[in-house]
Amino acid sequence: MIRCLHAEWTKLRTLPSTWWLLAATVVLTVAVGAAAASSLTTQICRTPEPCHEDTVKLSLTGVWLGQATCLVLGVLSMGAEYGTGTIRTTLTAMPKRWRVLAAKAAALALLTAATGALAITTALWTAKLILPVHGPTLRATTGSILILALVAVLGLALATLLRDTAGGIMLGLALLYIVPLTIDLIHSPTWQHRLQRWTPMPAALSIQATRDLNHLPIGPWPGLGVLAAYAVGLLVFGGAVLRMRDA
């Protein structure tokens, strides 16, 4: 397993797009968070207290956009091998396919989590320069880092299932953005509540909340668990399919 991890880490760090996507994750997370924090410095809401704003969650708004680059990285970590045909070489050298997929997921999750820690810490620090950030930040910070790592694993799972980079990215972006946006178009409050609880991103982003937790459609940790269930479930399914079909 150590050899598999070393091999997958080498492939991941030498992928040309890896470092550009990780840098984009940091920049987008920090820039969007700073822009969201700056939105409170208006004549209507000069300070966050009168607006009853969750300043921690506001500071982490950039995760909503930064997750897209993590998804793309996850898809490319497997899709690039299918695109170039090197997946055959990989599976010839390491015939235990479950081990290959597990090593890919571990290397990807660790690298994304490290980048996420840098992005989230910098976003909170930047936001504190703009407005007072009040509230417990440990859960929101840890949960946001896990969101980025899980989204990357989700991308890996989709690429393993579809064996197509473009298809994996399109389906992943639909799950992250199109599905949440369609919730607002549904006129039934009951179904809106259900979809907010059981679709990956609306549920997972509840981990960032530090105020009014009783009004959330799902609790912070159970919400993150929904995203984890999607990512791990699809990865397991992808691993089963990978074992049954030819490379």
Side-chain angles (χ1 to χ4, degrees), residues 182-189 191-192 195:
T182 57
I183 293 176
D184 295 331
L185 302 178
I186 298 174
H187 298 294
S188 171
W191 276 104
Q192 281 186 340
L195 290 173

Side-chain angles (χ1 to χ4, degrees), residues 40-61:
L40 285 187
T41 59
T42 65
Q43 293 182 351
I44 299 176
C45 186
R46 294 182 181 276
T47 60
E49 288 79 5
C51 297
H52 304 286
E53 184 66 52
D54 188 338
T55 52
V56 175
K57 184 175 182 179
L58 189 69
S59 304
L60 298 176
T61 304

Side-chain angles (χ1 to χ4, degrees), residues 196-201 203-204 218 221-231:
Q196 287 171 346
R197 287 174 59 87
W198 301 117
T199 50
M201 288 323 299
I218 189 171
W221 289 112
L224 185 64
V226 171
L227 174 60
Y230 274 88

